[in-house]
Amino acid sequence: MAIAHRAAEIESVSFTDLSRNPKGVATRAAALGRLRVTHRDAPDMMLTTVARAEHAEENLTTASRLFLALMKQDDGARSLQLALPEVFPWARHLDAEETRAFTDELLGALSDAAELGAGEAVHRAVVSWRATARVNADPDQLRESLRPLDGDVLGQVEVRG
């Protein structure tokens, strides 16, 4: 994904730098727009201005709403489904039904990210559909995944209402 490539371009400082010179690091982050703060014992963080973060959220909301509106039109939905392999080259291994399902799930996840702040849903949708494409691309894995389970009794399923 493009995000992984862009992450390499972001300047960074250590958490120690931030704790020793918070004003200088904050000034640098404001000037750059964002600054990665690395930490040896914890995940990296991103330091940015509220205005930049709000603009990013607004951009996501706008794009999400635009794509959802396109999905309501037959031509728009078809265009989005045809565009998927441009964005996700591995999507060519999904059949037509899977492509529709991926498109629906991805746009729903983008909407959840934009409207609810649930960004992990987008990541989950992409990762799970990429795994499906990986299985579809490998004839041995696909054959194994379609093989009926031999006598496995998994027990009763409890349905909660």
Side-chain angles (χ1 to χ4, degrees):
M1 289 180 65
I3 294 170
H5 298 292
R6 288 179 41 205
E9 301 169 10
I10 299 170
E11 287 195 35
S12 64
V13 297
S14 69
F15 189 80
T16 302
D17 294 335
L18 175 61
S19 64
R20 288 183 180 157
N21 184 10
K23 187 174 182 177
V25 170
T27 300
R28 187 170 168 203
L32 294 171
R34 62 185 174 177
L35 189 63
R36 178 184 299 262
V37 179
T38 61
H39 195 290
R40 183 179 25 189
D41 300 324
D44 291 356
M45 296 180 286
M46 191 68 67
L47 187 59
T48 189
T49 63
V50 169
R52 184 178 177 108
E54 287 173 346
H55 290 157
E57 288 178 19
E58 182 181 328
N59 294 344
L60 176 60
T61 300
T62 300
S64 169
R65 290 178 180 174
L66 178 63
F67 290 139
L68 287 172
L70 282 171
M71 282 298 288
K72 292 179 182 177
Q73 303 171 15
D74 289 339
D75 289 345
R78 180 159 166 68
S79 293
L80 288 172
Q81 291 167 12
L82 290 172
L84 274 185
E86 289 290 322
V87 179
F88 305 102
W90 46 262
R92 71 183 187 279
H93 296 289
L94 302 175
D95 64 28
E97 184 178 325
E98 291 168 332
T99 299
R100 277 191 299 279
F102 175 38
T103 304
D104 289 345
E105 186 175 338
L106 179 62
L107 293 181
L110 285 168
S111 177
D112 289 348
E115 306 291 341
L116 305 172
E120 283 299 311
V122 176
H123 178 73
R124 264 193 319 277
V126 171
V127 167
S128 63
W129 281 105
R130 184 174 40 222
T132 299
R134 185 177 297 120
V135 169
N136 288 350
D138 182 332
D140 293 333
Q141 282 188 359
L142 181 58
R143 189 172 34 260
E144 182 64 22
S145 71
L146 296 173
R147 183 181 60 78
L149 298 175
D150 295 328
D152 286 342
V153 178
L154 302 175
Q156 278 189 311
V157 176
E158 180 181 332
V159 178
R160 297 179 184 173

